[in-house]
Amino acid sequence: MSKGTYCLLMELDHNQDIGIGRRTPIRFPKGYYCYVGSAMNNLGKRIDRHLSKQKRFHWHIDWFLDHAPIIDVKRIESSCKLECSLSREIARFSEKTIMKGFGSSDCSCETHLHYFRKNPARDLNRLLKKMAGAVK
């Protein structure tokens, strides 16, 4: 079974008010979003779950994915939990935090969902390659 950290790259095609769990809906602007997560038991199954339309909503990302399709998935297979360090690195070049605490209720990160007006794929690829090389 693979272990590791993943990034979901999503595109929201227009401004939307989205309710995350029981929270009051928040305005998410049109653009690109990168969500950072980890799976220390079965990375492939976790990613497949996110890609599935048929699921019970449990995590913050489940509500968001109901509105913003995944356009790319990146993974770093590692027994080291890199979720928070990767999220902090992505935060350095993201444009702003839309919802504090998104996906980070079990850590001290401000958020694990990062917003970009333009597609950040090139910068994400560079960062993920660098981090993956550091853990090998």
Side-chain angles (χ1 to χ4, degrees), residues 2-37:
S2 62
K3 301 176 179 190
T5 301
Y6 59 90
C7 291
L8 305 178
L9 184 59
M10 301 150 290
E11 183 177 10
L12 191 62
D13 64 4
H14 62 280
N15 297 341
Q16 288 191 49
D17 294 330
I18 302 173
I20 304 296
R22 291 185 217 130
R23 295 181 183 205
T24 302
I26 294 171
R27 172 59 53 118
F28 287 88
K30 172 184 175 175
Y32 295 86
Y33 291 82
C34 178
Y35 173 75
V36 182

Side-chain angles (χ1 to χ4, degrees), residues 100-135:
K100 290 183 180 182
F102 190 108
S104 60
S105 55
D106 61 346
C107 67
S108 61
C109 295
E110 182 177 41
T111 188
H112 281 200
L113 182 72
H114 305 281
Y115 170 73
F116 304 87
R117 276 183 284 235
K118 295 183 180 175
N119 190 329
R122 182 176 293 146
D123 292 329
L124 286 173
N125 287 337
R126 254 193 307 266
L127 175 60
L128 288 162
K129 187 174 183 180
K130 177 181 165 187
M131 287 192 79
V135 295

Side-chain angles (χ1 to χ4, degrees), residues 1-2 9 13 18 26 29 32 42 61-62 67 69 75 78 82 84 92 96 100 109 112 120-121:
M1 285 194 206
S2 62
L9 184 59
D13 64 4
I18 302 173
I26 294 171
Y32 295 86
N42 194 322
I61 191 63
D62 295 334
H67 302 273
R75 63 172 75 199
S78 171
L82 303 171
C84 292
R92 294 175 66 200
K96 62 181 172 178
K100 290 183 180 182
C109 295
H112 281 200

Side-chain angles (χ1 to χ4, degrees), residues 49-117:
R49 183 192 184 284
H50 290 315
L51 292 168
S52 172
K53 297 287 184 196
Q54 304 296 316
K55 61 184 161 229
R56 190 178 121 252
F57 286 15
H58 176 71
W59 292 296
H60 291 154
I61 191 63
D62 295 334
W63 281 271
F64 190 76
L65 287 173
D66 206 30
H67 302 273
I70 295 171
I71 59 173
D72 198 6
V73 178
K74 301 292 183 191
R75 63 172 75 199
I76 300 174
E77 292 192 22
S78 171
S79 58
C80 300
K81 194 167 181 184
L82 303 171
E83 180 178 6
C84 292
S85 57
L86 178 57
S87 187
R88 284 190 293 271
E89 287 297 316
I90 293 171
R92 294 175 66 200
F93 64 91
S94 71
E95 300 195 36
K96 62 181 172 178
T97 297
I98 306 300
M99 181 181 156
K100 290 183 180 182
F102 190 108
S104 60
S105 55
D106 61 346
C107 67
S108 61
C109 295
E110 182 177 41
T111 188
H112 281 200
L113 182 72
H114 305 281
Y115 170 73
F116 304 87
R117 276 183 284 235

